[in-house]
């Protein structure tokens, strides 16, 4: 029983959910077209790749789903030697030539854009104080959204997303402690990221954070970026974060579809 639990924990929750979607897609394909799925033949796998090209523009996405088929076989103690086969490689190369794909990257958010966003925020409003602090820390930390906010209120994980206790104020510097990231999934170390104040600037992350925690006091285990709903402290969700950003981007006269929360990370890297 313990060994089964360990095996189930090998993948992060989000990763395993994606794998299950890949399994369902492959099984549905095989059942609909009457193909044997375990073990699948090379011909079935090649036809599946062709089928996926109807929905995916990127061959890398197709390869991702084919890896899901590989895992399905391995979980059932079956071999899956097809990823290196000439027929499958030829199919994928042909799909890549027939459907050239250039991924659209989110445009970066720069300090200039941040200053424009600031003009459309009400810093007397408690929630806007929270979003402004979230925006600035996302920019200066160059952090992924998974470190900042959960996908839903119920999915907040104090071991992954920032808590109030993970942000320490020392003089005019914020010390931010990251316990988990895309590259630190097993708690093997902690990152300590110092964020300095910018005296006299509306872009000062230290002032923004101080204003937020004064507006919404919380204990160490509470989400760093939160709201109060019916007397309860709840996390800001990814959807709220994304929607607020795109609303403000639209206010600046830009097309919000070209921006996402990843734009903070891209802007901080410039």
């Amino acid at each position: 029983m313990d060994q089964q639990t360990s095996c189930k924990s090998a993948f992060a929750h989000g990763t395993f959910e994606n794998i299950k979607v890949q399994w369902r897609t492959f099984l549905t394909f095989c059942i609909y077209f009457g193909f044997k799925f375990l073990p699948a033949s090379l011909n079935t796998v090649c036809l599946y790749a062709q089928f996926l090209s109807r929905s995916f523009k990127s061959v890398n996405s197709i390869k991702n789903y084919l890896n899901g088929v590989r895992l399905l076989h391995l979980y059932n103690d079956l071999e899956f030697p097809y990823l290196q086969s000439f027929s499958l490689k030829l199919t994928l190369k042909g799909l890549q030539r027939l459907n050239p794909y250039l991924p659209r990257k989110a445009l970066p958010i720069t300090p200039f854009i941040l200053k424009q966003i600031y003009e459309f925020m009400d810093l007397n409003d408690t929630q806007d104080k929270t979003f402004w602090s979230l925006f600035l820390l996302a920019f200066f930390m160059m952090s992924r959204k998974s470190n900042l906010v959960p996908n839903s209120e119920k999915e907040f994980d104090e071991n992954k997303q920032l808590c109030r206790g993970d942000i320490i104020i020392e003089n005019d510097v914020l010390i931010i402690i990251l316990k988990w990231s895309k590259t630190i999934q097993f708690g093997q170390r902690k990152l300590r990221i110092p964020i300095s104040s910018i005296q006299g600037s509306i872009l000062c992350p230290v002032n923004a954070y101080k204003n937020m925690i004064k507006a919404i006091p919380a204990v160490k285990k509470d989400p760093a970026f939160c709201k109060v709903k019916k007397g309860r402290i709840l996390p800001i969700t990814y959807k709220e974060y994304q929607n607020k950003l795109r609303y403000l981007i639209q206010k600046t006269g830009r097309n919000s579809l070209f921006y996402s929360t990843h734009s903070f990370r891209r802007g901080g890297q410039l």
Side-chain angles (χ1 to χ4, degrees):
M1 194 62 150
D2 290 344
Q3 190 263 342
Q4 289 178 348
T5 302
S6 296
C7 287
K8 288 180 180 178
S9 301
F11 294 102
H13 174 73
T15 302
F16 195 64
E17 289 301 309
N18 288 336
I19 291 171
K20 288 196 287 187
V21 170
Q22 294 168 4
W23 290 348
R24 284 196 296 270
T25 304
F26 178 66
L27 294 176
T28 302
F29 164 80
C30 290
I31 292 169
Y32 183 83
F33 289 104
F35 296 130
K36 184 180 179 181
F37 47 83
L38 284 178
S41 68
L42 174 59
N43 184 56
T44 297
V45 174
C46 290
L47 289 174
Y48 181 54
Q50 184 68 46
F51 172 79
L52 290 173
S53 70
R54 298 178 180 182
S55 302
F56 296 125
K57 294 180 180 179
S58 170
V59 168
N60 285 335
S61 297
I62 295 173
K63 289 179 179 178
N64 228 352
Y65 270 64
L66 292 178
N67 188 58
V69 179
R70 180 183 72 88
L71 286 174
L72 180 63
H73 281 69
L74 295 180
Y75 268 104
N76 286 277
D77 293 324
L78 296 170
E79 292 185 357
F80 191 80
Y82 306 135
L83 293 184
Q84 299 303 317
S85 72
F86 176 74
S87 294
L88 183 57
K89 284 185 175 182
L90 202 63
T91 300
L92 294 174
K93 189 172 183 178
L95 291 174
Q96 196 165 23
R97 188 177 296 279
L98 290 170
N99 303 300
Y101 173 67
L102 179 65
R104 189 180 74 183
K105 294 182 178 179
L107 293 177
I109 289 178
T110 62
F112 178 74
I113 296 176
L114 277 171
K115 288 178 179 179
Q116 288 187 317
I117 287 173
Y118 178 83
E119 297 299 321
F120 294 98
M121 300 190 78
D122 178 7
L123 271 298
N124 292 314
D125 178 75
T126 298
Q127 208 63 79
D128 272 14
K129 287 180 181 179
T130 300
F131 279 113
W132 184 236
S133 180
L134 174 55
F135 291 169
L136 290 181
L137 287 189
F139 177 80
F140 287 107
M141 288 173 60
M142 295 180 284
S143 178
R144 293 181 174 87
K145 62 95 176 174
S146 53
N147 282 122
L148 303 172
V149 295
N151 287 325
S152 69
E153 293 172 355
K154 292 182 180 179
E155 290 183 70
F156 176 73
D157 185 343
E158 65 184 60
N159 295 311
K160 291 185 177 181
Q161 285 87 44
L162 285 176
C163 300
R164 285 290 175 89
D166 298 323
I167 304 177
I168 303 165
I169 303 173
E170 291 186 0
N171 299 319
D172 284 329
V173 176
L174 295 179
I175 305 296
I176 300 171
I177 302 169
L178 289 184
K179 307 178 291 287
W180 177 93
S181 75
K182 190 174 181 179
T183 56
I184 308 173
Q185 296 205 7
F186 304 105
Q188 61 267 41
R189 66 183 187 278
K190 293 181 180 180
L191 291 179
R192 293 172 65 88
I193 304 172
I195 304 291
S196 298
S197 64
I198 307 173
Q199 296 298 325
S201 173
I202 58 174
L203 301 183
C204 177
V206 179
N207 283 341
Y209 183 73
K210 286 180 178 178
N211 290 336
M212 181 189 73
I213 63 174
K214 185 177 179 181
I216 306 181
V219 300
K220 289 184 176 182
K221 288 193 175 183
D222 281 332
F225 307 102
C226 53
K227 62 200 177 220
V228 180
K229 186 187 289 186
K230 296 181 181 179
R232 295 173 60 210
I233 297 285
L234 296 171
I236 297 293
T237 64
Y238 173 62
K239 184 177 180 180
E240 292 168 332
Y241 177 28
Q242 181 91 306
N243 287 347
K244 182 69 171 181
L245 173 64
R246 286 187 165 165
Y247 167 78
L248 292 165
I249 286 289
Q250 199 74 31
K251 284 284 188 180
T252 69
R254 294 173 173 81
N255 187 339
S256 62
L257 294 178
F258 293 112
Y259 294 84
S260 71
T261 57
H262 190 68
S263 296
F264 290 116
R265 183 173 168 83
R266 293 207 66 215
Q269 292 172 335
L270 291 178

